[in-house]
Amino acid sequence: MLEKLKRMITAAAADYVDIRYEVKKTTTISMAGHELKKAGSNATDGFVVRALKDGGFSSVTVTREDDVPEAVKLAVQGASAMAGGGKTVTLAEVEVFEDNVEPDLKGDPALVPLEEKIALLKKYNDIMLDQPEIANTNMAYSEVDREKFFVSSEGSAIRERVCTVSIGGEVVARRGDLTQNIRAAVGGANGMAALKDREDVFLKRAQIARELLDADPVKGGTYDVVINPSLTGVFIHEAFGHFSEADIIEDNPPLRAKMEMDKQIGSDVVTIIADTLIPNQVGFYKYDDEGVPVKTIPLMVNGVLKGRLHSRRTAAEFNEPVTGHCVAQDHGFEPIVRMGTIYLKKGEMPLEDLMKQMGDGLYLCDGKGGQTSGENFTFGAQYGYIVKDGKIQEMVRDINIMGNLFTTMKNIEAMDNDMQLSERGGCGKGQMNIKSGYGGPSVLIRSMVVGGV
Amino acid sequence: MEKLLKIAAAKGLKAEVYSIREKSLSMNKVNGAVSEVSASIQSGVSLRILKDGKLGFAYTKNLIDREELIANALSSLDAGVEALYDFPDAGSISISDDYDDAVEDMSFPEIRKNVEQVEELYGQMNEGVFEAAAGCGTSELRILNTSGSDLRQKESTVYSMGQMIYPGTSSGIRNIFMGVSDAEPCVSDVNRTVDFFHSSLPEVEIGDSRMKVLFTPDSMYALTWRLGVASSAKYFYEKVSPLLNKVDSLVVSPLISLVSDPTEGKTGRRSFDDEGIKTHRVPIFENGVFKTVYNNLDYASKMKTAPLGTGFRGGMWGGEKVAMSPAPSLSHATFSLGSKSFEEMLAMMDRGVILFGALGAHSGNILNGDLSIGLNPGLYVENGKVVGRVKDAMMAGNIYEMLSKAIAVENAPYYTDSMYENPSILLDDISVVGS
């Protein structure tokens, strides 16, 4: 395939061309309550062509091999249409690689029969449905196995397979007119081992959903909060992580000024690392979709900005090193700057000391999605507790938090010594990235705006 | 596609083949410089088979090996997904194509002209960032089944967009223009956006209080998402919808009507849904009364009701249409127009916020109708005038309670990201939490 791709771009009249071909095999099994809703395996494929010409840069995605010549032509035309339009694109210089990468799987999902996967999903689903007041579940087994071939006119020729599996969804508790839901998920990028013997996770999630029926909505206001590792992950991803993606701030001079290297952005206890190379983590890959090997990047060290995530284009624009973070959802998309695994470094104290340090406030648990817009962010917590004098009290629900990145990073006061990473990703920055892993310890933040209901 | 259907029929299967081909071109400019140029030509085929009350499902992007696609569908069939319905014989459906051949051949230089037309209208910006974008797209859909249906629909869209982003943020206000053949910008809409932008440049801290909130079309999805989930046959069948037993009951203000009518609109009309069922007007909420539980073939059969032509592929998170099964969908639903102009609604606001963007609308207990969103941006209004934009604030509530407090609905609709237009809705006495 790599040789075929080389031939496809040989004649392109451009300064630089690359082509990515990808076969994406998916297995999806979904259940609603006790009912099996979907089960099956499928394969799709497609091509992404990018061309750089006279400072213009363009990309084209096509499905059929017959359309590749048209795609190459359109990409060059698009680059020409951009050229001279004000912005001149250059690509940072990179080393040329030829490589063939297979993931280190503990139980290759491709070798496991569909019936076995259905049985595993049903087992976890039944555990939740058997709990009192659980009205419904919406659960799915998801397996995405991508075989990517990348060739550039500079000479890179790389094949890499990345495989991600998860079992997850929501469990719904109901009492009268009140429904409450909680998310449950296990998974990773190291094969079926991540999914086995996880009964305790699903039992616990169903119990929390039921407990939420007795919880009151949180009252809106400004609180000191401790967020648990799951929520820390969402916070670091949404509030800071997106801001460290170069393309987010690239065309916004005031934001670029605020994110200047070596600037003190956070309090001096905050260190944030982008480490996509942590083995077995959901974010793991070796080469990005520009053929650049991914590097571990300290983004913030003791509150000082030290790194940024880049594509070749943004690395050149910022005159900073390439990082290997230009990734596409699949063969239907051009690659853009994305996080792999990102985490906040843990501290030294146990959780109970962190609570004591907070005194009165809220203990917020488990992310329920988030969103960022420039320096503003919001994210939901699946549940939480009122904390009085360092002691955890009654449960509260319907919690959403909003904040400003710069204010909040400086309001981080301490963290505990227990770091956890997410097992499933999912970031919708223009296209879905299921390989966005995140995590950290529990973190004490002063003065957060909590929306309530 | 016919061959695929024949192979399936020869194996004693009932079958449906859904195929789609889509082409699009787009260009973005930021502060006058072209920042992104891209194109896409995508196609795909999806196969559903039925046998002995069970469903098999498979799809591919490249229909090279028909036998492999059938084999994947048969493997899926063996898993035992229940299907109590049959594929419909569409009979005679009159097709309304919103399609212009010329859009298929649009080039990047033509797209660039459309971007520049938008830039010219907004004029020079001294503060913040200005983004302009334009593009076009065409699609050809075909649904063929063993019950005799062979339906085809084509559509084309041309769009342009201008967005003014506040200094030091990624938050802005915008106009989107759309059409089947062209996207003529509306000058008065642009002028209003420019005026609002300049008058909302100062940041205002508002503390915690209750006030009026004007949901614009750009933030309306936060409401329709929750109403759509609660009125879906899926959640009625699973008995978890908060609207259970509330059909024909008044649940929100009589000013509110939400209607799914894929046959109406200026762009993207559909004569049949993604299962080949004829589309028509389906009132979901009418004058505040909950009227209809919308469905697809699957849930219609489970609940022993007629399919309503509201089974579509896709979801709030997008995704490949061929990879997704048809589900009950309000993708074509819009709020009915009211009687007030935007200016009249603004004059009704003694103190409040115009919500041009909802941050985190996907968080929270969506099924229960709970909403807690960042105002991004929220333009602060005093005595009918925009005087700034709120800093770090959220609004929160339950949509049934919030929509019971609707006091006006706009008499004109506007495009947002979807191909369907919505008016603005003014709500009273909403909890806003500020920094």
Side-chain angles (χ1 to χ4, degrees), chain A residues 49-361:
Chain A
V49 178
R50 305 189 310 163
L52 176 73
K53 186 176 185 184
D54 301 330
F57 193 45
S58 170
S59 69
V60 179
T61 69
V62 294
T63 302
R64 300 183 312 138
E65 189 175 327
D66 291 350
D67 287 331
V68 172
E70 171 73 4
V72 174
K73 199 170 105 189
L74 259 179
V76 175
Q77 280 174 3
S80 299
M82 181 179 178
K87 188 164 188 169
T88 302
V89 173
T90 51
L91 299 180
E93 293 209 355
V94 293
E95 207 177 323
V96 167
F97 287 92
E98 292 190 20
D99 206 348
N100 185 358
V101 183
E102 270 290 317
D104 178 19
L105 299 175
K106 294 173 180 64
D108 189 341
L111 306 175
V112 177
L114 184 65
E115 312 85 73
E116 208 174 296
K117 295 166 183 168
I118 294 173
L120 188 62
L121 174 63
K122 276 185 173 169
K123 181 167 78 171
Y124 294 150
N125 192 46
D126 286 348
I127 285 171
M128 295 192 290
L129 285 168
D130 285 347
Q131 301 309 305
E133 298 189 290
I134 297 303
N136 193 41
T137 54
N138 284 290
M139 296 294 295
Y141 170 93
S142 172
E143 175 188 324
V144 180
D145 195 344
R146 300 166 63 191
E147 187 180 15
K148 304 189 289 181
F149 300 86
F150 175 85
V151 164
S152 76
S153 56
E154 293 165 341
S156 281
I158 299 163
R159 173 197 172 271
E160 180 166 7
R161 179 187 168 204
V162 288
C163 180
T164 312
V165 291
S166 69
I167 289 180
E170 64 168 3
V171 51
V172 182
R174 184 163 200 263
R175 186 186 297 156
D177 284 342
L178 178 66
T179 59
Q180 289 297 309
N181 52 34
I182 280 283
R183 296 178 184 180
V186 296
N190 60 328
M192 294 301 287
L195 305 182
K196 295 201 169 152
D197 304 322
R198 306 302 301 274
E199 290 82 352
D200 55 329
V201 173
F202 296 96
L203 177 62
K204 179 72 181 159
R205 303 311 287 177
Q207 287 168 344
I208 293 170
R210 189 188 177 203
E211 286 168 33
L212 273 171
L213 294 172
D214 293 315
D216 287 326
V218 70
K219 188 174 179 300
T222 302
Y223 294 87
D224 295 337
V225 301
V226 168
I227 56 176
N228 80 342
S230 159
L231 209 45
T232 297
V234 176
F235 165 66
I236 288 304
H237 174 98
E238 294 296 342
F240 176 75
H242 281 302
F243 230 52
S244 70
E245 292 168 337
D247 57 344
I248 293 280
I249 61 169
E250 172 183 12
D251 292 317
N252 198 321
L255 292 184
R256 277 181 77 154
K258 285 180 181 177
M259 291 294 282
E260 235 171 55
M261 282 299 149
D262 297 320
K263 211 168 187 176
Q264 183 86 31
I265 301 284
S267 74
D268 57 10
V269 298
V270 180
T271 292
I272 300 169
I273 313 287
D275 191 356
T276 297
L277 291 167
I278 300 173
N280 304 332
Q281 287 307 311
V282 68
F284 182 87
Y285 62 84
K286 190 170 176 192
Y287 294 95
D288 73 359
D289 290 331
E290 294 188 304
V292 178
V294 67
K295 295 181 179 68
T296 298
I297 306 294
L299 297 170
M300 181 182 288
V301 178
N302 299 327
V304 177
L305 197 65
K306 288 290 177 189
R308 204 186 321 275
L309 306 179
H310 281 298
S311 64
R312 290 183 64 182
R313 185 181 62 75
T314 62
E317 162 79 18
F318 283 72
N319 195 26
E320 292 173 1
V322 290
T323 63
H325 285 88
C326 193
V327 171
Q329 173 180 317
D330 59 26
H331 49 66
F333 296 86
E334 64 181 306
I336 57 174
V337 183
R338 305 302 294 249
M339 285 168 262
T341 301
I342 179 172
Y343 65 89
L344 190 145
K345 208 171 159 188
K346 67 182 179 182
E348 290 174 358
M349 69 174 79
L351 179 61
E352 57 196 41
D353 288 358
L354 196 66
M355 293 291 180
K356 277 182 201 157
Q357 187 165 328
M358 176 170 70
D360 293 350

Side-chain angles (χ1 to χ4, degrees), chain B residues 168-332:
Chain B
T169 76
S170 297
S171 167
I173 55 178
R174 66 182 183 173
N175 299 105
I176 293 179
F177 305 102
M178 210 176 279
V180 171
S181 305
D182 56 37
E184 192 60 40
C186 173
V187 176
S188 59
D189 288 357
V190 170
N191 288 342
R192 187 165 74 193
T193 300
V194 173
D195 288 345
F196 275 170
F197 179 78
H198 291 299
S199 52
S200 61
L201 279 169
E203 279 195 297
V204 182
E205 292 193 13
I206 56 172
D208 304 351
S209 57
R210 301 187 77 86
M211 61 181 72
K212 292 184 173 69
V213 173
L214 179 60
F215 272 77
T216 67
D218 270 321
S219 55
M220 203 61 71
Y221 74 99
L223 301 177
T224 49
W225 192 344
R226 285 153 177 81
L227 293 175
V229 167
S231 51
S232 164
K234 170 179 164 56
Y235 294 97
F236 269 74
Y237 179 72
E238 292 167 2
K239 296 190 170 31
V240 291
S241 168
L243 294 176
L244 279 176
N245 308 316
K246 290 186 180 166
V247 175
D248 290 330
S249 301
L250 186 73
V251 293
V252 291
S253 159
L255 293 174
I256 301 295
S257 293
L258 180 69
V259 175
S260 171
D261 191 352
T263 67
E264 280 295 314
K266 294 183 208 158
T267 48
R269 288 181 299 164
R270 285 287 300 272
S271 305
F272 53 90
D273 71 3
D274 285 344
E275 301 188 281
I277 304 290
K278 186 178 179 182
T279 52
H280 56 93
R281 184 180 189 275
V282 179
I284 308 298
F285 295 87
E286 199 159 53
N287 301 323
V289 175
F290 176 46
K291 297 300 290 182
T292 312
V293 180
Y294 66 96
N295 59 23
N296 66 345
L297 273 175
D298 182 23
Y299 286 102
S301 68
K302 284 184 164 75
M303 297 171 74
K304 301 187 182 357
T305 57
L308 297 171
T310 48
F312 288 95
R313 295 166 187 253
M316 289 307 292
W317 302 105
E320 286 269 7
K321 284 180 182 162
V322 291
M324 304 169 92
S325 304
S329 168
L330 281 190
S331 56
H332 295 68

Side-chain angles (χ1 to χ4, degrees), chain A residues 225 227 364 377-380 399-403 448-451, chain B residues 394:
Chain A
V225 301
I227 56 176
L364 306 181
F377 64 85
T378 177
F379 56 87
I399 305 151
N400 270 283
I401 290 174
M402 189 185 186
M448 291 290 300
V449 174
V450 177
Chain B
M394 301 187 80

Side-chain angles (χ1 to χ4, degrees), chain B residues 28-88:
Chain B
N28 285 53
K29 288 182 86 173
V30 179
N31 284 343
V34 180
S35 61
E36 194 177 325
V37 180
S38 63
S40 174
I41 305 170
Q42 297 287 312
S43 56
V45 174
S46 180
L47 174 67
R48 292 199 294 173
I49 55 173
L50 298 173
K51 190 174 187 183
D52 302 330
K54 303 295 178 197
L55 169 74
F57 177 80
Y59 61 89
T60 184
K61 296 282 287 180
N62 267 327
L63 186 55
I64 296 168
D65 188 340
R66 292 180 179 83
E67 290 292 349
E68 185 188 16
L69 188 65
I70 299 261
N72 283 342
L74 285 169
S75 166
S76 167
L77 186 80
D78 288 343
V81 175
E82 186 182 70
L84 304 174
Y85 53 89
D86 198 354
F87 298 123

